Amino acid sequence: MENTQDGTLGEWFKITILIFVNTSAVPYSVCNNLEPEKMEQLKLTISKRYDVSQKALDLHKLRFDPDLLGHDIIIILNRRNCMAATLQIIKKNFPELLSLNLCKNKLCQLGGLSEIMQIAPTIKILNLSKNQWSSE
């Protein structure tokens, strides 16, 4: 494109700009909430793993719990919706929780656990051993 001597543009170019817009997905926390029946079964399963005398909750290998598998419920604590559902149950049902065992759940990041101290501020023992931690 060059300016001519009279100050006008000698050539005009047509520029076409294409804008692609993808529709926004439903927020993860909304579209992946557990159904009420699954939440109730998860609550029952977690309650069976609670030791009242020790105020301890043993959720090691939760994904392989026979009560959950028997109802075709897969709880993988690496998934935000599964961790959120589990923490919600803990908050509502175990307000005096002192010990939480999350070992052998193939956890790889602490992100899902970021709320644990607000949800259960009484926790003194948090077992996160034998998981698959990532440095990223």
Side-chain angles (χ1 to χ4, degrees):
M1 214 171 2
E2 298 177 4
N3 284 336
T4 59
Q5 288 183 340
D6 64 359
T8 63
L9 295 175
E11 298 178 34
W12 289 93
F13 292 94
K14 181 178 179 183
I15 298 175
T16 303
I17 299 174
L18 298 176
I19 300 174
F20 297 95
V21 178
N22 290 328
T23 56
S24 174
V26 176
Y28 192 90
S29 59
V30 174
C31 68
N32 290 309
N33 280 341
L34 293 181
E35 298 163 9
E37 311 83 50
K38 290 183 179 183
M39 277 295 286
E40 186 59 30
Q41 185 58 48
L42 179 59
K43 178 181 159 187
L44 292 172
T45 300
I46 289 175
S47 295
K48 288 181 183 179
R49 291 168 160 248
Y50 184 66
D51 180 341
V52 178
S53 66
Q54 299 290 316
K55 296 182 182 177
L57 184 56
D58 183 3
L59 298 182
H60 87 282
K61 291 187 175 181
L62 183 62
R63 68 188 298 169
F64 299 113
D65 190 285
D67 290 338
L68 295 174
L69 294 175
H71 289 88
D72 293 322
I73 299 172
I74 298 171
I75 298 295
I76 299 173
L77 293 179
N78 260 346
R79 295 181 182 163
R80 284 184 281 171
N81 65 322
C82 293
M83 181 60 81
T86 302
L87 293 177
Q88 182 181 351
I89 290 168
I90 290 171
K91 181 178 181 178
K92 287 182 181 177
N93 299 283
F94 310 106
E96 296 178 6
L97 184 65
L98 295 177
S99 175
L100 178 59
N101 182 358
L102 292 171
C103 76
K104 296 183 181 178
N105 276 295
K106 295 189 178 184
L107 297 174
C108 59
Q109 295 181 337
L110 291 173
L113 284 171
S114 61
E115 301 173 26
I116 193 71
M117 293 317 295
Q118 289 84 23
I119 288 173
T122 56
I123 289 181
K124 303 293 182 217
I125 300 168
L126 180 60
N127 184 349
L128 299 172
S129 65
K130 298 181 181 171
N131 281 291
Q132 299 174 342
W133 301 111
S134 160
S135 61
E136 295 179 26

